Structure formats: structure tokens, C-alpha cells
Amino acid sequence: MAAQDCRCSVCGCCRHDHRGWNHPWTPKERPMPVRAKFRCNTETLRKWGPAVSQTARSYEFMAVYDPDLPEDQRYAKASPSGSLTIQVDNPAVTFTPGASYYLDFTPVDEAGGA
């Protein structure tokens, strides 16, 4: 049996180390959405043409951790470090440097489309 096909008879988990370690992972049949907390650190504007509208905005985010905030302690257990850089072309979408945001990851149903 291949390791990726292994199913624990106790928890139904698809990933474990076969030494009795019970990982708190979610079984494949129930995909788990993940929420992380990130802070916007910088906004960068880059001109790519002569018109005012020809400016690309990019934002850099880092995972948040404040040892004095219980919420941040919980998020740090799930996403202790990380970074994200995105380019935003929609003028209605803005992020404020110094502000924190929740970043949600939910598996895409490839069969059903968006």
C-alpha cells in the first residue's frame, strides 16, 4: 500500500507516521478551510505606462504574531510564519499598511468549477 493511500482506522486521517502519533489533520472526505491572520506591511506603486491609470499596486503581507494577544497565539500555531505578495488592479480594492487581515484558504471543487 502506498503511503498516500494509507488510511488510519482510528481517525480516518490520510497522513500519519505509523508509530501511534495521532495527528489532528482532517480526513480527505472533509476538506478543512484554513484561516490565517496577516498584516499588510507595504504598498508599492509601479508605473508601467504614461497614463495615471497605468500604475500597478502590489501589497506585501506577513503572518501576524503578537505574544500578548490570545487570538494571535492561536493563529501562530497554525501559520507561524509566512508571506504573501499580491498585485491588485481593481482600484476599489485597497489594503492599508499596518492593518491586519484574515486570509481564508478553502479548497476549490475542481469538478464543479467556480
Side-chain angles (χ1 to χ4, degrees):
M1 171 169 44
Q4 65 268 20
D5 297 330
C6 183
R7 304 291 292 189
C8 176
S9 62
V10 175
C11 67
C13 187
C14 63
R15 296 179 285 180
H16 56 88
D17 63 10
H18 298 276
R19 291 175 293 193
W21 182 274
N22 290 325
H23 296 286
W25 291 322
T26 302
K28 282 185 177 179
E29 57 271 8
R30 291 183 294 148
M32 181 178 71
V34 175
R35 173 172 269 195
K37 189 174 179 183
F38 277 68
R39 178 174 292 121
C40 179
N41 288 337
T42 60
E43 175 186 40
T44 304
L45 302 175
R46 291 188 178 89
K47 288 287 287 163
W48 58 269
V52 174
S53 63
Q54 293 175 317
T55 302
R57 290 179 294 124
S58 63
Y59 296 93
E60 185 175 313
F61 296 82
M62 297 296 290
V64 172
Y65 179 69
D66 183 339
D68 297 328
L69 295 176
E71 180 184 64
D72 286 2
Q73 293 170 3
R74 287 192 309 272
Y75 281 107
K77 287 181 182 179
S79 56
S81 65
S83 63
L84 170 71
T85 301
I86 59 172
Q87 179 176 321
V88 179
D89 291 331
N90 184 343
V93 176
T94 61
F95 298 99
T96 304
S100 294
Y101 299 88
Y102 294 117
L103 182 58
D104 295 317
F105 295 94
T106 305
V108 173
D109 179 9
E110 296 293 337

